[in-house]
Amino acid sequence: MDTLLSSLLDAQSRVCRGVFVSVPVQFLAQLSNTAILHQIRRDQVTDTCRANSVSSRKRRVLTPNDLKHLVVDEDHEMIYCYVPKVACTNWKRVMMVLTGRGKYSDPMEIPANEAHVSSNLKTLNQYSIPEINHRLKNYMKFLFVREPFERLVSAYRNKFTQKYNTSFHKRYGTKIVRRQRKNATQEALRKGDDVKFEEFVAYLIDPHTQREEPFNEHWQTVYSLCHPCHIHYDLIGKYETLEEDSNYVLQLAGVGNYLKFPTYAKSTRTTDEMTTEFFQNISSLHQMQLYEVYKLDFLMFNYSVPSYLKLE
């Protein structure tokens, strides 16, 4: 897949010479421009990995457990690393259509909870080491990313402000209240259903949290979920250009003519303005410490330091 850009440009030049005229020149021009964009995104990841490796210890080897977020589509030879809060429900729906061999045709007919049933999709950690290596080398690999703090606020809103998410309140909310809230009531300690964003941030930057266990996947860094310094992704899609990037992936997979990425937009979606609001009550010290936690995601995927941060 590393020759994607050159082959697209070559294809375009052959059309211009009239070697094959069945594909519109404008379409190939658009494809090659998009290929250039993805090359720039890949280079950004490579450069960040290289710069970071100087300060990092001996490069660790990935284990099968590191690969549980990589969804495999054997029929179209694709691997998708899913990142929660970056349209992963819809992408899992699309992957179920692609791997379902006719069972599904419309992604939106698949209930959201069904898309998250692990047995409905095969992940790379379920293969033998030689099979894993073969797929990593030969399959088209892609992931989707989002502005890190917008993703974080989206995770907080979804997991801590919705009354139905009792499992998260019990598992994480009670722990956060116990550690971060002085004079917490017995009810708050028992239920954990009223965690403030400031408390959530304090929990994330607390060294004890990171020593105790890995972050939950909803607020874990993309760097840690998808291992882009070990796995060379062919395509890096962005939430900000979700529809365009998703349909480009489907086009390259050869299914773009009959399968389009779902376009509906949630009215409750976390926006940049909303994220700015949430960060108003976070101290500059905590903002700086939180930025350090997600710094690699900012750098690797070319997101600038948010203008609302009070970094000193």
Side-chain angles (χ1 to χ4, degrees):
M1 290 309 300
D2 287 337
T3 57
L4 174 66
L5 175 60
S6 59
S7 61
L8 279 170
L9 290 173
D10 179 54
Q12 186 184 341
S13 69
R14 278 183 284 155
V15 169
C16 293
R17 294 196 307 268
V19 176
F20 51 71
V21 291
S22 58
V23 183
V25 178
Q26 302 96 310
F27 176 68
L28 278 171
Q30 184 188 342
L31 274 188
S32 61
N33 287 338
T34 310
I36 291 166
L37 172 66
H38 283 277
Q39 181 69 55
I40 291 167
R41 290 177 183 175
R42 282 197 299 274
D43 289 347
Q44 178 76 20
V45 170
T46 303
D47 293 346
T48 307
C49 291
R50 195 176 291 129
N52 179 61
S53 68
V54 177
S55 58
S56 67
R57 295 199 184 111
K58 185 184 174 188
R59 181 173 161 171
R60 80 181 183 88
V61 177
L62 292 183
T63 66
N65 195 46
D66 293 315
L67 307 174
K68 57 189 178 189
H69 272 248
L70 278 74
V71 175
V72 181
D73 172 5
E74 294 286 357
D75 295 343
H76 304 92
E77 300 195 341
M78 298 198 314
I79 295 174
Y80 159 57
C81 183
Y82 74 89
V83 178
K85 309 314 298 176
V86 193
C88 84
T89 302
N90 278 354
W91 256 112
K92 283 182 176 181
R93 284 168 161 148
V94 168
M95 293 298 280
M96 283 175 71
V97 172
L98 290 172
T99 59
R101 300 190 176 180
K103 186 178 178 184
Y104 311 100
S105 58
D106 179 1
M108 296 314 291
E109 285 178 355
I110 302 169
N113 61 335
E114 203 174 312
H116 295 292
V117 174
S118 58
S119 58
N120 283 336
L121 290 165
K122 195 164 184 183
T123 48
L124 197 58
N125 59 313
Q126 295 170 259
Y127 293 83
S128 69
I129 300 294
E131 288 172 333
I132 288 170
N133 288 333
H134 170 78
R135 281 155 184 76
L136 285 176
K137 185 180 177 184
N138 296 291
Y139 285 18
M140 181 174 81
K141 300 170 294 297
F142 68 98
L143 77 161
F144 276 77
V145 299
R146 183 178 187 177
E147 201 280 340
F149 285 170
E150 191 180 293
R151 177 177 167 244
L152 189 66
V153 169
S154 177
Y156 166 77
R157 290 179 66 222
N158 179 242
K159 300 305 174 191
F160 295 107
T161 69
Q162 304 292 333
K163 291 298 177 191
Y164 61 79
N165 262 324
T166 51
S167 61
F168 269 81
H169 302 158
K170 289 279 187 197
R171 173 81 177 79
Y172 296 100
T174 53
K175 188 186 291 183
I176 293 170
V177 169
R178 190 170 69 248
R179 286 193 192 158
Q180 307 301 336
R181 189 180 302 178
K182 290 175 183 172
N183 307 317
T185 65
Q186 284 304 308
E187 186 182 19
L189 287 165
R190 191 177 78 255
K191 287 187 173 178
D193 63 352
D194 64 345
V195 171
K196 297 180 178 68
F197 185 64
E198 300 92 294
E199 294 169 334
F200 179 52
V201 168
Y203 163 78
L204 293 174
I205 60 177
D206 183 350
H208 181 76
T209 301
Q210 295 176 50
R211 280 198 306 269
E212 185 181 55
E213 61 181 348
F215 278 0
N216 177 275
E217 62 175 15
H218 291 84
W219 49 86
Q220 179 60 282
T221 61
V222 177
Y223 171 76
S224 300
L225 289 177
C226 295
H227 312 285
C229 289
H230 293 76
I231 297 168
H232 301 292
Y233 288 91
D234 302 296
L235 300 164
I236 298 163
K238 293 204 163 188
Y239 191 74
E240 295 76 18
T241 48
L242 176 64
E243 190 180 340
E244 181 187 334
D245 290 348
S246 297
N247 287 324
Y248 179 62
V249 171
L250 295 174
Q251 200 72 47
L252 290 182
V255 298
N257 292 338
Y258 67 87
L259 183 59
K260 294 281 182 271
F261 192 78
T263 56
Y264 86 105
K266 273 186 179 176
S267 57
T268 57
R269 189 177 83 76
T270 301
T271 61
D272 182 51
E273 294 76 25
M274 224 179 264
T275 305
T276 304
E277 232 171 272
F278 272 89
F279 272 83
Q280 291 307 301
N281 296 327
I282 307 298
S283 71
S284 56
L285 175 62
H286 281 190
Q287 286 186 1
M288 188 168 67
Q289 290 173 316
L290 190 68
Y291 179 78
E292 284 301 315
V293 173
Y294 292 93
K295 186 176 180 178
L296 273 180
D297 280 6
F298 274 99
L299 297 174
M300 201 167 277
F301 306 115
N302 205 23
Y303 288 107
S304 53
V305 177
S307 57
Y308 53 78
L309 287 196
K310 306 182 286 272
L311 299 181
E312 292 170 354

